[in-house]
Amino acid sequence: MGIVRLWPALLAVLIPGIVILYLLKQKVKNQKISALNLWREAYENIQASTPWEKFRNNILMYLQIAALILLIIALMSPYITGGNSEYSNVLIIIDNSASMSGLYSEDASKLDIAKKQAADYISANDGVRYTVMSAGSTPALIVSGSEDKGRVIDAIDSIEATDASGSLDSGISMAQSATAAWDSYKVLAFTDSSANMQDMNCEVIDLSVHGENAAIQNLSHTVSEDGTVKVMARVDNYGKKQLNTDVNLYVGSKLYDIQNVTAEPGSSSVVYFKNIPRGRFNSALAGNTPYLMAELNSKDMLAGDNTVYNILNGENDNKILLVTEKNTFLEKALMLSGNKTVDKVTPKDLEAAKTDEYNLIVYDGIVPDEFPDTGNIIFINPGIAKESPGWQQEVFIFKDSTNHNQNNKQGKAVLVKAVKCDVTEYIEDYSFSCLDVTGFDTPAWASSFFNTGKGLSAGYIGNYNGRMVAVTGFDLHNTDFPLQTEFPIFMYNLLRKTMSVQIIEKTVYNAGEAVGIQKKKQAEEAAVTKPDGTKEIYSLGSGMAVFTDTLDAGLYYVEEGDDRMYFTVSFPEDESDVSKETLITSDKNTKTETSKTASKNISKKMIVMPVLALLLVLLMAEWHIYRKRL
């Protein structure tokens, strides 16, 4: 048995006061009475020469002293200890990665069991400060150092499963930082995955369960030359029995095909669906929704991996228009980029070209009078005049007249250096010499990928009013850069950044992965709708926004004005494997226990309430005796 605080013991000085109250002589009044049996006691009181009475046993005094002692004990917060060592701090870590949403029993998931066992542990242990963390793809501190058991249990109940990959390992560093400040602690961790608890004193509750689980993965499609869409998917069997189930294919929200699949334990099987005729996914069958969805008909331990999506509008035609007199280097680089269509026109024929049909327009050596209405743009050696009006002053900025057109007509070359960024990936340390380099100030909306070494930019890229615009300030004929192996790498990176006119870069993301949203046209904000139907609004004032709430697998879409683009968050394959063994390790000389159920032993059990209950009984007894004496 122990106590939490000692200062209430000072109240024991009140006990002599109670005794003194009963020793003081009571004042008496003369009263006419009809009996003589009280004369002797009255005589003794009158004969006393001091204000004190003779000490006499009085049950009321003893009851009051006992009540005071019980009150003091209650204020000292007494407790009894059980089989475990006493811990002043308990850190509870709950794994909420994707696999924890799997069934542990017929009506409860692993996460449900973890939260219930944690709540039961807290209810059974008093006088402890609790800290609660969730650990999955990223760790999160839920409660820190709280003695309010109700608050801690509510916080644990608020932890939700995610569809992201992860384990306890993600939170070990945070846990070590917390426990380093505690003299006496215990870590109680719940997981179904392997983890290294390192040097912490902990008890790990292993919630892994072996059972039947199948996952549908890698739904994909190809489009043939006649427009027919061919669809296939892979089904993995992680169970111990042969899998035999149907797989449904939906085009949009409409059921299109059902195929049967069988797979042996620990193996995979590929499912081929009926071809979708040309234009079928734009018809009433698909409800004008450009995505595919496949699902398993069978019920198993983990529901999150039984559905998968594939976006049909994920590929663009990627048409490029090259406006140039003659630039063999540039033409070949564009042809080798893997894009489907590259058309070339001369500057004099530009007015007749339908520029709105192209995703990217490359201007070599010229600048149009009007900024194109659609598509992204690359300006190669624009030769722009400093006094150019309108939009040109926002795209091409000169610091002063001495910086404009840094040409080296006397044969002096300018050293152009690569600046580390996405466009110069894999060539970050590269530099080359070039004649007639135009140095610009990098606009506020852009970032530089080439500089001249004099604080000026020889190439930059950015989002200008919802369009990707890139500028290089030199002619490719005035340098040997196109002859180097770095040139095709540079062109690939540049086209990768400028070819996309989509709101987002890709259509498939991993759970927990951030989604960059590009400003398109004149949109000022973007709305992201999640699988549960909730919507989040993001400002595009800076040219882009970042959406990070991708912890749930399923179908999402982004809207900017009248444009909508779908993307899917996939369930992680490694979280579907329910057959893997859980291995909990730790560094030497530390205590790590692994069990299936949290310890039921009580480390501290407060007995304040029983003491207060006894105090109440004493007070009621005193009142009853007092009433009888009146």
Side-chain angles (χ1 to χ4, degrees), residues 209 222 259 281 373 511 547:
V209 178
T222 58
Q259 295 291 331
F281 54 80
D373 295 329
F547 172 68

Side-chain angles (χ1 to χ4, degrees), residues 394-395 397 441-447 460-463 542:
E394 298 177 352
V395 175
I397 302 175
D441 274 355
T442 305
W445 50 265
S447 58
Y460 51 88
I461 188 172
N463 189 313
S542 62

Side-chain angles (χ1 to χ4, degrees), residues 480-497:
D480 65 349
F481 181 35
L483 303 177
Q484 306 301 317
T485 56
E486 287 80 5
F487 182 67
I489 299 174
F490 162 72
M491 288 302 300
Y492 173 81
N493 292 337
L494 182 63
L495 290 172
R496 184 182 61 179
K497 294 291 291 184

Side-chain angles (χ1 to χ4, degrees), residues 503 520-523 525 558-565:
I503 301 172
K520 186 177 179 183
K521 298 180 181 177
Q522 299 299 321
E525 61 182 24
V558 185
E559 294 175 297
E560 285 187 17
D562 297 332
D563 294 325
R564 174 184 288 188
M565 183 170 178

Side-chain angles (χ1 to χ4, degrees), residues 34 56-57 99 128 137 325 335 376 387 392 463 479 492 610:
S34 59
R56 288 174 296 175
N57 290 323
S99 59
V128 179
S137 59
E325 288 289 354
M335 293 293 185
N376 295 340
E387 296 78 15
Q392 297 177 7
N463 189 313
T479 174
Y492 173 81

Side-chain angles (χ1 to χ4, degrees), residues 321 323 350 353-363 366-379 391-392 395-396 464-469 521-522:
L321 178 64
V323 184
L350 179 58
K354 296 180 179 180
T355 57
D356 58 351
E357 297 180 356
Y358 296 91
N359 304 104
L360 175 65
I361 306 174
V362 181
Y363 293 98
I366 69 165
V367 174
D369 294 332
E370 300 293 334
F371 196 77
D373 295 329
T374 60
N376 295 340
I377 300 171
I378 297 177
F379 293 105
W391 63 270
Q392 297 177 7
V395 175
F396 311 104
Y464 174 68
N465 290 334
R467 318 269 285 285
M468 292 303 294
V469 176
K521 298 180 181 177
Q522 299 299 321

